[in-house]
Structures are given as structure tokens and as C-alpha cells.
Amino acid sequence: MNRYLLILLLAAAFVLHIPAPAASAQSPAGEIIRLVNELRAARGLPPFSPDGALMAAAQSHAEWMAANMSYTHTGAGGSTPQQRATAAGYRGYVAENIVGGTNLSPGQGVVWWENSAIHYATMTSTRHIHVGAGFASAGGQNMYVLLVGVPSDYAPAPGSPPVRQAPAPPVVVPVTRAAPREDGSIVHVVQIGQTAWDIAAVYGVDLATLLRLNNLPDDPILLPGDEILVQPAEGATPLPPGPLTHKVQPGQSAWAIAARYRITLDELLYLNGLGPNPVLQPGDTLIIRLAPGQTPPPTWTPTTPPTTYTVRSGDTLWSIAARHGLSLDDLLALNGLSMDSVILPGEELRIRPEAPPAPSPTPAPTDTPTPASGIAVAAGPTATPSSTVTLPPSPAPATATPRPTLALPTPTPVMVAPGGRPGNTLIGVAVISLGLLLLGGMAAVELVERRRRREGNR
């Protein structure tokens, strides 16, 4: 029996101490590049070479999408992928993939691109040779950006496959202070790779002041050749408190624009005389803030806020929740849905709980007028008293008998050995319990056998 017990104890110890697999230290953006290059290798294509400027542009756009809770190729300041890459210092032509979803992993993102013809073409491009990737997360949504590029001066021989080049460092032209103009103003002409923060630091001005002077959002994309006003002319009108207007870019919604300028959606709708769920067209100009002395326009007359929303083509549960200021969990709870529910155009979803019925108004008590001195009050009709009804005495309330308290046993904590896992602990406990039962049965059998032998010897 000792031999069996030793074997069972060794097996349990082995189960309890199986090491957990080591976690990968690869960043999500780096994992995207690795998976894309693996896909290219499986198709006989050379891998993309990481490029610093493309990495910076992709990461910046991923963070912008997360901050604005929006999946779009149109980024900060209405920029395009090409403009963002150029502003980051990449001299060439680019193509961009984006994807995102709740707890979406890099592998799931690449699989999604692989099943879309236009995104698959980006990953398997034979024209581009450089790559950059970005990752950001907000509200449980993981967002990925893949940016591939080819230098403008790259010219492979006709019919030859692309040749890998060493990663090109970002091109940045140092900021040089411009001389004041005749009217005292200072205007800086943006060079490749320069940012608003760089310009503000070199000229020694506050970044917020520089952005207000040029009616720029908090995260502007500056392109080579843009003129930035650093110092206004002498006697110029004082600065407004911030950008006054915004020109709508493709793919932008009212709630995304409001979030960018840190105002509420109701404020944006009020300033522009818009109703709920407005349809914005690219090129529309929206008022963000009123200038001093400016009169607000005639506004839409608010009514009772809608409690439902009709699903339109392209809507997702996440976008509907964000549009109406709800968390995804709140929207799911209001409609009895789960994370994997499918919604169809024309379906109505509840976006606010039903309002409780208004309480019935309580009639105000009528006061009996007290006659003033010297004023005769006509006596009203005298009410005839009704017959007196004797009610039986109310029974004394019964004393509630306390229920017996059920004492629950205190659960025994499960101990996890250092380096072990809870799942392995349960398996080990089960193995030991089974072993003890087997040993008990074997001991009982051996005891019966010994008793039988002793009786036979008699």
C-alpha cells in the first residue's frame, strides 16, 4: 500500500506544478507586422521593412481613433493617410488598413483583413516595401492601423520583385524662427516633419495660444507649406476663446466633432439649429463657439427626447451606444441583447428607459372662509348626520416568530502551490481524493482476506 500511496502523491505533485505557458512580450503593433509578414512569406512574397515615419503615423492615427471612438481613414484635422504619412516625414506613397472591435486580437484583425479583398491587397502588395503599425484601446475597443509605403524615388527594374530596403529614418527639418513682417506679425512656413508642438517650443509661445491663433484643433496635422501665425499683427483683434467653426470632413458625425472640440452634442446642435441625429455633408461649416457679441442662430425647438432609435445600414451596437451617450453594456441591458447579437436595418432599439408615469395631482384642500368682522356670511345647507356604525375592535398584531437561523459551513479555501494554477489544484485534489478512496478499498479487502486466512487456519 505504501508503494501505491507514493505513486499517487507523485502524480498529484506533478499535476499541481505544471508551469503555465509564458506570455508573449510582443506589442500588438509589432504582432500585426509579424503576422502580415508571415502571410506574405506563405505566398512567396518578401517581408515589409518597418519604417519609423510610418510607425509614427500609424500609431498617431490609432490613438486619434481611440480618443474619438471612430473607425475612419479620415483622421485629425480631416487628414488622409497620405497627409499623415507626409507630415510624419515619409517621402513616398502609402496605403492604409484599419480594423477594430471589442477585445479584438492582432490575429483576429489580420484574419478580418485577409477576408476583405481591398485589405488583403494591401497586405500582399508587390508595390510597397515599407510598413508601420499602430494600436490603441478605449472602452474595450481595440483599434489597429496598418500603413504600407513605397518611396517616391523607388523604381525597381521592370518585372523584378520588390527589393527590401533598410528602414528609412523619419525626415524632420529643424524649426527655424521666421523674421517679423512689416505689420509686426510672425508667420512660420511648415517644413516636412514639423509639428505644432515643435513650432510653439521654438518660438516660445503657448501651444494652446498657437492653436487658437490658427483655428486648429488640439491634435492638428500640419503639412509642408502650411502657414502658421505665431504672432498677430500689432493692434489685431484679441484672440477668440477657441476655434469658431469646423468644416465637416468625409465620415465625420456630429458627436465625433463635438468630442473633438470638448463640447457637448447638445451645445453643437443648439449653436447650429440642428435637431437630433442630423445628417452632415462634407464641406458643411459648423459653429463651434460664438464670437464676442455674436447672436446665436434660430434654434430647433426641443421636444421630448426620443426613447428609441431605428437601426440604419452600417450601424453597430457600439456606434449606436456612443452616438447616444451610452455605454455598450447599458445599451445591451436596455434591449436584452448580448455582445454577439445581430441587429438589422429598420430594427428599433431602446436608447432610454421608459419614463415613469407622472403622479396624479393631489387636490388642494379647500379652506372654509372665516367671516370678517361686520360681514355676514350666508349659511350653507346643514348636513344630516348619518347613522352611527360601530366597528369591531381591530385585532392585535400577531407577534412574528423568528425563523431559525441556518448555520452554513465555512467554505474551505483552496490553496494554490507557488507557480501552480487553480485549475491544476482542483485536478490534484481530485486525484488525491480518488487515491485515498482506492487505498481505503484495498485496505478493506486485505483486512477481509487476513480474517479469512485466520479462520481457515483454525
Side-chain angles (χ1 to χ4, degrees):
M1 285 196 305
N2 292 337
R3 180 178 57 190
Y4 296 139
L5 177 61
L6 179 61
I7 293 174
L8 288 172
L9 290 176
L10 289 174
F14 174 78
V15 172
L16 288 172
H17 290 281
I18 294 177
S24 173
Q26 182 79 19
S27 68
E31 183 70 4
I32 285 285
I33 294 177
R34 185 186 69 82
L35 292 172
V36 169
N37 279 337
E38 282 186 356
L39 182 145
R40 292 177 62 83
R43 287 151 181 77
L45 299 172
F48 288 133
S49 298
D51 178 87
L54 295 183
M55 292 293 291
Q59 183 61 35
S60 175
H61 187 52
E63 293 173 357
W64 184 90
M65 290 197 304
N68 291 274
M69 301 295 277
S70 176
Y71 295 104
T72 173
H73 291 286
T74 302
S79 60
T80 64
Q82 185 63 58
Q83 290 172 331
R84 292 190 292 272
T86 302
Y90 188 76
R91 296 181 177 179
Y93 307 100
V94 302
E96 181 180 79
N97 280 0
I98 60 173
V99 70
T102 304
N103 300 322
L104 188 75
S105 68
Q108 291 170 327
V110 171
V111 168
W112 193 92
W113 287 333
E114 192 174 355
N115 287 284
S116 167
I118 189 170
H119 297 92
Y120 177 80
T122 301
M123 294 191 296
T124 58
S125 170
T126 57
R127 175 190 176 196
H128 301 90
I129 61 174
H130 292 149
V131 68
F135 165 78
S137 181
Q141 300 290 307
N142 291 341
M143 304 182 182
Y144 302 92
V145 176
L146 178 73
L147 204 58
V148 299
V150 58
S152 54
D153 57 356
Y154 176 69
S160 63
V163 179
R164 286 189 63 186
Q165 294 186 359
V171 178
V172 177
V173 177
V175 176
T176 304
R177 294 171 63 99
R181 296 183 175 178
E182 292 182 359
D183 58 0
S185 63
I186 298 178
V187 176
H188 177 81
V189 179
V190 178
Q191 303 298 316
I192 190 168
Q194 295 179 354
T195 66
W197 186 89
D198 298 330
I199 297 170
V202 170
Y203 284 92
V205 300
D206 180 62
L207 177 59
T209 302
L210 185 74
L211 298 179
R212 291 203 310 273
L213 273 173
N214 295 275
N215 195 28
L216 294 173
D218 290 341
D219 49 0
I221 293 291
L222 304 183
L223 299 177
D226 287 349
E227 291 190 349
I228 300 298
L229 179 61
V230 177
Q231 176 179 299
E234 297 178 2
T237 304
L239 284 175
L244 300 180
T245 60
H246 172 82
K247 182 173 289 187
V248 178
Q249 303 297 323
Q252 289 185 330
S253 63
W255 62 266
I257 295 171
R260 170 182 295 185
Y261 293 100
R262 292 180 173 85
I263 61 174
T264 66
L265 179 60
D266 291 339
E267 289 176 310
L268 183 69
L269 300 180
Y270 167 78
L271 290 173
N272 294 276
L274 300 174
N277 301 320
V279 177
L280 304 180
Q281 301 294 335
D284 288 349
T285 299
L286 297 181
I287 299 174
I288 303 300
R289 293 179 179 86
L290 296 177
Q294 182 180 359
T295 304
T299 58
W300 164 77
T301 303
T303 58
T304 304
T307 58
T308 60
Y309 172 78
T310 302
V311 178
R312 294 179 292 185
S313 178
D315 281 341
T316 64
L317 289 170
W318 176 82
S319 67
I320 295 172
R323 176 178 299 170
H324 295 93
L326 298 171
S327 69
L328 183 57
D329 291 338
D330 289 341
L331 182 65
L332 297 178
L334 282 172
N335 295 275
L337 302 175
S338 62
M339 295 291 292
D340 54 355
S341 296
V342 176
I343 56 175
L344 300 175
E347 183 178 352
E348 283 199 353
L349 295 182
R350 184 164 295 280
I351 55 176
R352 288 180 180 84
E354 293 182 356
S360 302
T362 304
T366 304
D367 296 332
T368 303
T370 303
S373 175
I375 299 177
V377 179
T382 303
T384 303
S386 60
S387 57
T388 303
V389 179
T390 304
L391 298 176
S394 301
T399 303
T401 303
R403 295 183 179 181
T405 302
L406 179 61
L408 297 176
T410 302
T412 303
V414 178
M415 303 302 292
V416 181
R421 292 174 290 175
N424 292 336
T425 301
L426 295 178
I427 297 174
V429 171
V431 171
I432 294 175
S433 300
L434 180 60
L436 293 176
L437 290 175
L438 292 175
L439 289 175
M442 294 169 60
V445 171
E446 186 172 348
L447 182 60
V448 171
E449 181 64 22
R450 288 181 180 178
R451 183 177 298 172
R452 187 182 63 80
R453 286 200 299 269
R454 283 200 303 269
E455 291 179 354
N457 292 335
R458 293 177 185 174

